[in-house]
Amino acid sequence: MSDTLTIVDHPLVQHKLSLMREQTTSTASFRRLLREISLLLAYEVTRDLPLTTRRIETPLCEMDAPVIEGKKLALISILRAGNGLLDGILELIPAARVGFVGLYRDEETLKPVQYYNKLPTQMGERIAIVVDPMLATGNSSAAAIDLVKKAGATDIRFLCLLAAPEGVRRMAEAHPDVPVITAALDERLNEKGYIVPGLGDAGDRMYGTK
Ligand code: URA
């Protein structure tokens, strides 16, 4: 579909995602599964981070041990559902800086309107990973990435749990330089903008709201 799209088809990811999709899955289980999947997705989204070596001493000898090169990471969560992915990734990358972007949809224009934007400093020197579980229309994801680019970032990845073809196309048009990593590419959007078959409203399922 798009050369910048990666689908993480690992059996553990697919199994946990199926459990999350089921409507009978409780809020507590949904949250736990999202945290577990986010660890596995974090593994994929960081797989090309540049390595360098550091001279260390093991109990037996010295060696040049591989360590991640100095480029700093920024995790950018699109509120509010992005926080579910963010929490798990932060467990793996505790030193990452964190930013938040809040957007709502104007009911008349259907365009995303920004209500919050707090990004780490020195974005131009960081690898930015923008996270939101659901890539639906792609409008808010593309707008969030606009803000991240405006702050100076040039190395950006977008991580989600589920993507709709419409969202993937929108991202490829708006930000062809931004790779999209997802656990699944679903069939379509319905008339209300929900991903089908999807998992419902990710924020509601994560926080037990309606
Ligand atoms: N946001 C959600 O939480 N779910 C969808 O299906 C689409 C957008």
Side-chain angles (χ1 to χ4, degrees), residues 79-151:
L79 297 172
R80 75 184 155 152
N83 287 9
L85 275 179
L86 172 72
D87 292 344
I89 301 173
L90 264 180
E91 280 182 40
L92 268 192
I93 318 170
R97 297 301 155 94
V98 179
F100 296 92
V101 173
L103 299 158
Y104 70 88
R105 191 164 72 147
D106 183 296
E107 290 307 329
E108 273 175 22
T109 64
L110 301 182
K111 296 248 163 71
V113 180
Q114 174 198 320
Y115 66 87
Y116 193 76
N117 179 15
K118 188 87 181 166
L119 298 178
T121 57
Q122 302 173 318
M123 285 301 289
E125 292 162 33
R126 299 182 189 279
I127 295 172
I129 303 175
V130 180
V131 298
D132 189 349
M134 309 301 270
L135 178 59
T137 62
N139 288 336
S140 49
S141 310
I145 290 170
D146 283 339
L147 294 172
V148 171
K149 283 187 174 173
K150 236 182 234 163

Side-chain angles (χ1 to χ4, degrees), residues 134 136 193-195 200-203:
M134 309 301 270
Y194 280 89
I195 298 177
D201 186 297

